[in-house]
Amino acid sequence: MSFYTSLSGLQASQTDMNTISHNLANVSTTGFKKSRVEFSDVIASSVSTDPRKMVGSGVVVKATTQQFAEGNLQGTTNALDLAVMGEGFFTVRTTGASDAIAYTRNGAFSVDASRNVVDAQGSFLMVYPVDGDGNVTATGADGLTNLQLQQTSGTPVATKDIATSINVSATSTVKTVAFDRTDTTTYNNSVATRIYDANGNPMTMTNYYVRDKLPDATTNTPSTWKVYTFIGDKQLEVGGSTAPVTITFNSTGAISSPTTPIKYDQFIPLSGAAPQDVTLSLANSTQLSSAFAVNSKSQDGVAVGQLSGVTVNSEGLIQASFSNGDIVPLGKVALAKFSTPTGLRQIGNSYWSATGLSGSATMGSASADGFGSLMSGQIEGSNVDITEELVNLIAAQRNFQANSKALDTANQVSQTIIQIRN
């Protein structure tokens, strides 16, 4: 009987050492949760047995219990690296034939070639869809969807009206040489404005201002300037002519002509987008003794915004920012919690799956209904304490040695009895 008692002790100690070794091997695994072996003694008894003479029959491994204490947080520079502060698991959908839902505390996510947010195994981060204000529009397991970052935002609008209010200096000299936009000595000032074609592609419209005549009070001649307008390398025409538009200022320095926006002939953008025409308003422009300045500048075109960044707040709301200033809510990170998390089944890759012991997942989002909050730019490390595990390993080794000694002693007793018989 003592052989089997000692054998059960050896087996239990071996299981303990295996568990501790597994913990130590995963000391650097993101989101890993250590386990602890729990033992129970084995005693065979009946109502007729004198409780003062009962002898146990060894030990049995009752359970290997996972410990879901939080691990230390590690800072990163990736906004999609997430950590749950408190209760909850990230929900991911695995790829491949199974296409199953799994749960993890490993929040190291990135973007794949299809702009899906995935983890290192390629599993999709699951979120709840939201409206334009960030309010969740579907809940529960049926409402989950994978998160995909959109590349662009907004509907392009071709520029039609440009308005520029400038001040040209009254002390500027008259240019007597032929205008050449590549030669800065042939014009006094220039203003560049970013405009857009029908596809939202940017173009640069440049207006070159050349002083033409000084005012002459005796002949009642006003001060005049000429403006040459180019989009890229192409000069815009007015009425089929490439002649510059003349601007005049009165004696007070206010613009006197043109009094209405300059309407340019239709042109074809270099991008090949649809033909468009533009107007230029110089209203409120002045000619004062101060230096040249652009008082205001505007245009009514709209570009397509390109994805420029992603943020995740403490409630799990994921927002994308775009180059045109749009901020678009993309989804809300879905979290799961369980009534008995120690009953979850470990399936590798820092994943767990639900079992009858853990109960079904209760779905929700961060900072609501008892779920933890999220931290962006942080990942949760393993909760293994090396010092504690090494001490436990020494204890497990001693237990193994003690049981092996008891087995050796039982063997010697058996040998002695056999020798007496002989």
Side-chain angles (χ1 to χ4, degrees):
M1 187 67 177
S2 56
F3 281 99
Y4 294 104
T5 300
S6 298
L7 178 60
S8 70
L10 289 173
Q11 292 174 330
S13 297
Q14 184 65 56
T15 300
D16 195 15
M17 287 190 289
N18 289 343
T19 301
I20 295 170
S21 298
H22 180 66
N23 291 342
L24 289 171
N26 287 280
V27 69
S28 297
T29 301
T30 304
F32 177 79
K33 300 303 177 186
K34 65 182 181 181
S35 298
R36 181 186 66 204
V37 179
E38 298 178 357
F39 305 101
S40 294
D41 59 333
V42 179
I43 296 179
S45 64
S46 66
V47 294
S48 61
T49 303
D50 187 342
R52 294 169 297 178
K53 299 179 180 180
M54 292 174 60
V55 178
S57 302
V59 66
V60 65
V61 175
K62 192 69 174 179
T64 302
T65 306
Q66 299 174 74
Q67 308 297 303
F68 284 95
E70 293 180 25
N72 293 326
L73 297 185
Q74 304 168 13
T76 73
T77 57
N78 179 15
L80 290 174
D81 283 339
L82 306 174
V84 180
M85 298 293 293
E87 188 175 0
F89 295 81
F90 297 107
T91 305
V92 297
R93 179 165 58 84
T94 60
T95 57
S98 61
D99 196 30
I101 293 294
Y103 308 97
T104 182
R105 293 280 294 194
N106 183 355
F109 297 104
S110 58
V111 183
D112 67 9
S114 300
R115 303 192 304 278
N116 295 301
V117 177
V118 298
D119 62 11
Q121 286 71 46
S123 299
F124 301 108
L125 173 65
M126 305 306 288
V127 299
Y128 288 120
V130 295
D131 59 20
D133 296 323
N135 300 313
V136 174
T137 58
T139 58
D142 294 336
L144 295 176
T145 182
N146 62 292
L147 176 62
Q148 186 177 50
L149 303 183
Q150 61 188 66
Q151 191 66 30
T152 60
S153 173
T155 302
V157 176
T159 298
K160 290 185 178 180
D161 298 317
I162 302 120
T164 304
S165 173
I166 61 172
N167 176 71
V168 291
S169 177
T171 61
S172 296
T173 59
V174 174
K175 298 297 181 179
T176 58
V177 294
F179 169 75
D180 180 358
R181 72 182 188 89
T182 62
D183 184 355
T184 58
T185 63
T186 65
Y187 58 89
N188 299 87
N189 309 103
S190 64
V191 176
T193 305
R194 178 65 60 88
I195 64 174
Y196 302 94
D197 64 20
N199 296 330
N201 298 310
M203 303 178 290
T204 300
M205 177 179 180
T206 307
N207 297 312
Y208 299 91
Y209 296 92
V210 180
R211 188 156 201 186
D212 184 44
K213 293 179 181 179
L214 296 174
D216 188 340
T218 60
T219 60
N220 199 27
T221 302
S223 174
T224 63
W225 292 68
K226 293 187 181 298
V227 57
Y228 297 82
T229 302
F230 286 77
I231 292 184
D233 296 333
K234 180 179 176 60
Q235 183 177 0
L236 296 188
E237 300 177 355
V238 177
S241 172
T242 58
V245 175
T246 300
I247 308 172
T248 61
F249 294 91
N250 61 26
S251 59
T252 65
I255 189 170
S256 56
S257 69
T259 57
T260 59
I262 304 167
K263 185 175 182 180
Y264 295 98
D265 295 346
Q266 192 175 73
F267 68 96
I268 299 177
L270 293 176
S271 64
Q276 67 186 96
D277 43 34
V278 295
T279 64
L280 172 64
S281 172
L282 296 173
N284 300 318
S285 293
T286 56
Q287 178 187 268
L288 304 175
S289 59
S290 56
F292 175 84
V294 178
N295 299 322
S296 64
K297 185 171 60 174
S298 64
Q299 60 86 35
D300 60 355
V302 176
V304 174
Q306 300 295 319
L307 180 65
S308 59
V310 178
T311 59
V312 185
N313 66 16
S314 61
E315 296 179 354
L317 180 63
I318 303 170
Q319 295 177 303
S321 55
F322 296 86
S323 58
N324 62 353
D326 287 350
I327 298 178
V328 180
L330 301 179
K332 204 166 191 179
V333 177
L335 295 182
K337 65 179 180 179
F338 299 87
S339 58
T340 311
T342 54
L344 290 170
R345 184 187 304 279
Q346 299 181 67
I347 55 178
N349 294 322
S350 296
Y351 289 165
W352 287 271
S353 63
T355 69
L357 294 176
S358 67
S360 300
T362 300
M363 302 302 302
S365 55
S367 301
D369 302 325
F371 290 91
S373 61
L374 286 186
M375 291 190 66
S376 175
Q378 302 278 338
I379 55 175
E380 181 183 2
S382 170
N383 66 350
V384 175
D385 185 321
I386 295 180
T387 303
E388 179 185 0
E389 296 301 320
L390 290 177
V391 171
N392 291 339
L393 186 61
I394 294 172
Q397 180 187 16
R398 293 293 176 86
N399 292 340
F400 188 91
Q401 291 174 335
N403 280 281
S404 64
K405 185 64 176 177
L407 185 62
D408 181 56
T409 301
N411 181 54
Q412 292 180 21
V413 170
S414 298
Q415 291 294 332
T416 301
I417 294 175
I418 292 173
Q419 292 173 359
I420 291 175
R421 181 178 179 183
N422 291 335

